Every structure is written in structure tokens, then in C-alpha cells.
Amino acid sequence: MKKLDQLYEGKAKKVFATDHQDLLIVDYKDDATAFNGEKKGTILGKGVINNRMSNMLMQLLEKQGIPTHYVEELSERETVVKKVAIVPLEVIIRNIAAGSFSKRFGVQEGTKLKQPSLEYSYKNDDLGDPLINDHHILALGLATKEELDTIAGYAFRINEILKAYFLKLDIELVDFKLEFGKTSDGTIVLADEISPDTCRFWDVHTHEKLDKDRFRRNMGGEEEAYKEVMRRLLGE
Ligand code: TMP
């Protein structure tokens, strides 16, 4: 696999073309941003952890019948993925109230929800990723009804799989954000990453935050938190 030109640089990853037209290479950075890029920083070693963790979790999900973009881990920071057209939605699943959900609805952080919730944001940095509903998505043509049903179905199944998996590691999966893409033949697959950048992880016993909220909220200890989740995933 030959790494060719850089196609795109995002906030946390770079994307490169390859000599195979249906494959890309993603390269994970240590850069961290929050609040639509307003807050910038570095979490040392994050790229290595997120690359490895995301690949482990995508392989776990594949085994459970969820199609993903994962193809092959190339190095500490680089992974071959299927080329997809990203559906411009952030798909957020929540098990426990936190973050913007707590703020919007006036629910104390840590309140267990009666059932998992799903919401979409329109992936558009200029607009600040606004909340969007199914009707808006169909009206704007961002996805079809069938695609949206597939995405929501996968998102809830992924939640059940990951919630159970992390609970065995004494980690509560509070909420997380997914992105989906369409391959050249129109198949919807899970894309982007699953990592402490995109999930809220709380220790079951101490409720200590083991995710990017430590950076977003200037708590410190983010490097240790990312390492701790990885350590538990590796069974160390
Ligand atoms: P929120 O409570 O700020 O809406 O975040 C919900 C989940 O989505 C949380 O696990 C963090 C994740 N997330 C991202 O992955 N990217 C983002 O840009 C935002 C705002 C949240």
C-alpha cells in the first residue's frame, strides 16, 4: 500500500490517498480542539491511543455484524480505511445525561436516562454543528429515509455492544458520537473513530472522567486518562 498525496487535514487526523482508488490512509495527530476549534491544545500520545483503540473497537463491532470502514492498521498512527462519502451527520447516543444534553434540558449530569437517546447534529463547522431532526435531514437531502433507518439501527446496536464491553472494564459508556459513510457501492458503514475524543467514559466506581472532557473543561490529567482506558482495553 503506497501512501500518496494528503487529501485533507482535519482537527485530529490527516487523510491521504493511496495507490488503491477505494482505500485511504488516516494518520492520527496529538492535536486536540474543543468548542468548534476555539480551544486548541495537544494531548501527548493521543494519536497513537486513538488509532489503536478505534481499530480494536471497529474490529469488535465487525465481528458483531456492524460494517465499518476499517481495513488494516499500518503503524502506531496510521490505518488503511475504505474510502467513503461521509454522511454529514454526527450521530450521538446517550445513556446518561451529560454535556449539551444536561444544559439543554436542565438535567443534572450523571442522571441515568430511562432509555438510550439518539440525536443528530449537522456536520458543518461554519454553522457550529447545529442539532438537526429526521425531517430536516430528509428535507435537505442529507440522507434518505432508508439510510437514516440503517444509521439509527446500527447506532443503537453499537451502543448495546460497547456499553456491555466497557462495563466489563469498569467503564460506564455515558455517551458517544458516531459518523457514517457510504462506500462506492452505496453501503452504509461506520466511519471516523471511536475514542476518548468521541466518547464520554466514566469509571464505574469513582465516576472519574476518562475522556476528552478533561481537556474541554481544563481539568488536567487527559494524557493519563487516555492511557488508563487503553490499559484496561488491553487487559493490563
Ligand atoms: P455533547 O454533550 O457536547 O453534545 O457531546 C456528546 C458526545 O459527543 C460526547 O461523547 C462527546 C462527543 N462529541 C464529539 O465527538 N465531537 C464534538 O464535536 C462534540 C461537541 C461532541
Side-chain angles (χ1 to χ4, degrees), residues 30-72:
D30 286 350
D31 299 353
T33 64
F35 317 117
N36 203 11
E38 257 175 60
K39 177 179 163 73
K40 288 190 175 71
T42 303
I43 302 176
L44 275 182
K46 169 170 91 76
V48 173
I49 289 174
N50 286 7
N51 182 41
R52 195 159 182 205
M53 190 181 299
S54 192
N55 291 342
M56 284 177 68
L57 296 173
M58 293 238 183
Q59 285 172 276
L60 171 85
L61 293 170
E62 284 273 0
K63 276 194 210 136
Q64 305 280 332
I66 307 285
T68 78
H69 73 164
Y70 174 78
V71 177
E72 185 193 2

Side-chain angles (χ1 to χ4, degrees), residues 134-150:
D134 298 52
H135 298 280
H136 299 148
I137 292 167
L138 298 179
L140 291 169
L142 303 180
T144 66
K145 175 80 171 67
E146 291 69 32
E147 288 166 352
L148 213 49
D149 287 346
T150 302

Side-chain angles (χ1 to χ4, degrees), residues 4 7 28 90 115 122 136 139 154 161 166 189 213 216:
L4 301 178
L7 299 176
Y28 285 74
E90 300 201 336
Q115 60 176 53
Y122 178 26
H136 299 148
Y154 285 157
I161 296 164
F166 278 104
V189 302
D213 267 353
R216 295 188 187 100

Side-chain angles (χ1 to χ4, degrees), residues 170-188:
D170 278 351
I171 290 172
E172 197 112 56
L173 180 61
V174 174
D175 57 32
F176 57 97
K177 185 265 296 179
L178 302 172
E179 293 182 26
F180 292 86
K182 253 196 309 186
T183 60
S184 52
D185 68 1
T187 309
I188 296 280

